[in-house]
Amino acid sequence: MPRSFKKIVYGIFYLFLLFLVVSQFYRAYLKPEPTCFDGRKNQNEAGVDCGGVCSACEVLELAPLKNVGAVKIFGLNAGRAVFLAEISNPNKSYEAEFFYRFKIYGRGSELIETLTGSSFIFASKKRFLYEAGASTIAADIVRVEVEIFEPQWKMVESSAEAGLVVSPVISTDIEGTAIQVGGSVKNTSPIKVSNMEVIAIIFDKFGLELFASKTVLKNLSGFEERTFIVNFPADQFLKDRIDPMLRRVFIHHD
């Protein structure tokens, strides 16, 4: 066998060994772990990112969670801003846990801040997402968008939603510049509610939405009735404009 041919054969053999070593190293240390969001049929999936350890493949045919209207932006003279976004789940048999992000844009349409969180929505229901953690002052905000991502769907044969009813008697109390909206909520079902959000919106003297605030009630037992108070910022801007007879209250639970 010619000497040059032997060199070629040995070279190919060593390259093959090097390929095996590099492949094993990549698989052991560098290759990303398979997930249910990598666009590949791996793990024990029945389809691409569905079945097996991932959500059922029929989930891919569900209607996405939708935004209802634009994100509401409420601001104070002191600069604080809060946001309120309404979303809906058009699917009749699936509820979902999901992540969301509020994207805050300034002048020139530049993205200046992003706030993220997680929430839950029942099948065929709407709910509000409330966010008060922005560091950007209200005067610098031009628009806010909300994005819903990575929903984890769960099929339900019957809803586990509790029957929560807000009393028609709701009061708005003003002391100094402090504003409180109070009332009571009754759980008309036997289902215990671990976490319930009460969101109140107050209005100005022209009937326009003025500001929104939120409180949380914990561990509401079945058939229990409990009072709530939603506190608003002590701000002269709100006191000068509020119509104490106008308010709306929304309740959601997980």
Side-chain angles (χ1 to χ4, degrees):
M1 181 182 293
R3 188 180 185 88
S4 60
F5 183 75
K6 288 183 178 180
K7 289 182 178 180
I8 293 173
V9 172
Y10 289 145
I12 293 174
F13 176 73
Y14 288 123
L15 284 174
F16 179 71
L17 288 179
L18 179 62
F19 171 77
L20 289 179
V21 171
V22 172
S23 297
Q24 291 299 322
F25 180 82
Y26 172 77
R27 290 173 182 171
Y29 299 103
L30 299 179
K31 186 178 180 180
E33 291 293 327
T35 71
C36 296
F37 306 99
D38 55 15
R40 296 183 179 184
K41 183 181 178 182
N42 44 29
Q43 306 178 89
N44 66 338
E45 299 167 8
V48 176
D49 291 340
C50 69
V53 298
C54 301
S55 301
C57 289
E58 61 193 59
V59 165
L60 300 180
E61 301 177 0
L62 296 177
L65 301 179
K66 298 180 180 180
N67 300 334
V68 181
V71 177
K72 301 179 187 294
I73 306 171
F74 301 103
L76 301 175
N77 283 342
R80 180 185 175 189
V82 302
F83 314 123
L84 197 62
E86 188 176 12
I87 63 167
S88 69
N89 177 8
N91 302 290
K92 296 181 179 180
S93 301
Y94 281 84
E95 59 191 24
E97 295 180 356
F98 60 91
F99 293 94
Y100 63 85
R101 61 171 66 95
F102 283 92
K103 301 173 70 174
I104 304 171
Y105 293 87
R107 297 177 179 85
S109 296
E110 75 279 14
L111 178 64
I112 54 179
E113 189 175 356
T114 301
L115 304 170
T116 60
S118 61
S119 190
F120 172 88
I121 190 167
F122 287 101
S124 299
K125 294 293 182 179
K126 296 180 180 180
R127 76 168 298 155
F128 282 109
L129 302 177
Y130 176 89
E131 180 57 61
S135 59
T136 306
I137 63 173
D140 292 336
I141 299 173
V142 173
R143 77 177 193 276
V144 177
E145 298 176 354
V146 66
E147 291 182 348
I148 309 298
F149 60 100
E150 293 186 14
Q152 299 295 309
W153 297 98
K154 179 182 177 182
M155 186 176 182
V156 289
E157 295 182 0
S158 59
S159 176
E161 186 177 10
L164 301 176
V165 178
V166 177
S167 168
V169 180
I170 300 175
S171 63
T172 301
D173 298 321
I174 303 173
E175 184 174 347
T177 56
I179 299 171
Q180 294 181 331
V181 172
S184 66
V185 58
K186 184 173 183 179
N187 184 357
T188 62
S189 72
I191 300 172
K192 180 179 179 180
V193 175
S194 299
N195 188 77
M196 183 179 70
E197 295 182 350
V198 182
I199 297 173
I201 300 176
I202 54 176
F203 293 76
D204 65 16
K205 297 171 184 178
F206 298 99
L208 301 176
E209 293 174 335
L210 182 60
F211 206 79
S213 191
K214 181 183 82 170
T215 192
V216 176
L217 300 181
K218 298 285 188 180
N219 299 320
L220 186 68
S221 300
F223 305 110
E224 178 184 358
E225 185 171 4
R226 192 181 301 177
T227 60
F228 64 81
I229 293 176
V230 181
N231 292 297
F232 286 76
D235 190 274
Q236 191 66 40
F237 171 82
L238 298 183
K239 181 183 178 182
D240 290 343
R241 291 163 175 76
I242 187 174
D243 184 337
M245 302 304 297
L246 299 177
R247 60 258 161 171
R248 295 183 69 189
V249 172
F250 303 90
I251 51 176
H252 307 291
H253 77 89
D254 299 335

